[in-house]
Amino acid sequence: MKKIIDLGLIGETAVSLELMKMGYDVINLNTLRHNYQNIDLLCINPQTGKSVTIQVKTGSTKNLMTGFVSELDGTIPNLEEKVVGPWVFVKTDKNFKTMNFYVLTKEEIVELIKTSNNWYVNGWNRQLKSKPMIGIEVDWLEGNSSAASKPNAKKQHPEYKSTLSETSRDKWEKITDLLY
């Protein structure tokens, strides 16, 4: 019998461990309620009592899924309300030997989702037949455009310019600064 790996739980646990190593208390809300909507972790500073909620998205491909689906016109219903705090994308290999953590503020992830989805839906000069799931490329999380490593991409469609000007890898201060 093949064992099913819960990729999301692995990512949530890895993020929890990173924050716990920094001295914070972390509660995985999905252990209280299956797939707690819009929030995965509650991180608490035991010294100040301040807390922050965190969404974790985990994947092993260059395109990490956000859980959002776009309308055919590129709009994303209730995006600002559904993103309630910082996000951490966990990029891992298929064997979980390496993990990279990309930390974004609420404002950064909302802007990245909006602009990249608009580029995907409206910038390619095509008509979609179904509502697309929204993914974020690891290159964008690194502050790079997607076409930089793909010479033929500019011929297919205009290049997406990431809203992130630098890498978001290991930018834990985007979470920890909220706890003081």
Side-chain angles (χ1 to χ4, degrees):
M1 182 157 117
K2 186 175 179 179
K3 185 177 178 180
I4 296 173
I5 297 173
D6 189 336
L7 191 62
L9 181 58
I10 290 171
E12 293 160 7
T13 302
V15 171
S16 295
L17 290 171
E18 291 296 314
L19 291 165
M20 290 167 57
K21 288 192 291 188
M22 294 178 216
Y24 301 104
D25 295 332
V26 182
I27 300 169
N28 187 331
L29 297 174
N30 294 318
T31 61
L32 303 174
R33 177 177 157 194
H34 180 68
N35 200 14
Y36 206 91
Q37 193 171 16
N38 307 322
I39 301 168
D40 292 315
L41 306 176
L42 176 65
C43 182
I44 305 161
N45 182 335
Q47 296 176 344
T48 65
K50 289 189 177 180
S51 63
V52 65
T53 57
I54 303 164
Q55 178 70 42
V56 179
K57 296 294 180 183
T58 308
S60 60
T61 65
K62 64 180 180 147
N63 189 23
L64 303 173
M65 301 313 294
T66 65
F68 285 101
V69 176
S70 170
E71 297 295 325
L72 293 176
D73 65 0
T75 59
I76 307 157
N78 306 314
L79 175 64
E80 287 85 359
E81 293 82 23
K82 290 182 178 179
V83 177
V84 295
W87 280 36
V88 180
F89 285 96
V90 181
K91 167 66 170 82
T92 184
D93 60 39
K94 294 192 187 295
N95 297 318
F96 308 103
K97 291 186 179 184
T98 62
M99 288 192 179
N100 292 318
F101 302 95
Y102 297 93
V103 185
L104 288 86
T105 65
K106 174 183 178 174
E107 296 77 18
E108 287 174 327
I109 190 59
V110 166
E111 189 65 16
L112 189 59
I113 289 173
K114 273 192 206 175
T115 60
S116 65
N117 185 63
N118 183 57
W119 165 79
Y120 180 77
V121 172
N122 299 311
W124 285 36
N125 195 23
R126 65 189 157 133
Q127 293 214 329
L128 297 172
K129 296 184 192 261
S130 61
K131 296 178 181 181
M133 295 188 308
I134 301 171
I136 301 295
E137 293 215 16
V138 173
D139 279 349
W140 304 340
L141 297 172
E142 289 284 2
N144 302 320
S145 66
S146 63
S149 61
K150 303 172 193 167
N152 294 331
K154 288 184 181 179
K155 295 175 186 172
Q156 295 171 348
H157 50 75
E159 178 180 46
Y160 173 70
K161 302 285 187 191
S162 177
T163 57
L164 302 173
S165 60
E166 64 180 17
T167 184
S168 59
R169 187 185 311 187
D170 296 325
K171 298 291 184 179
W172 294 104
E173 64 273 11
K174 293 178 183 179
I175 293 172
T176 59
D177 286 356
L178 299 171
L179 297 168
Y180 288 94

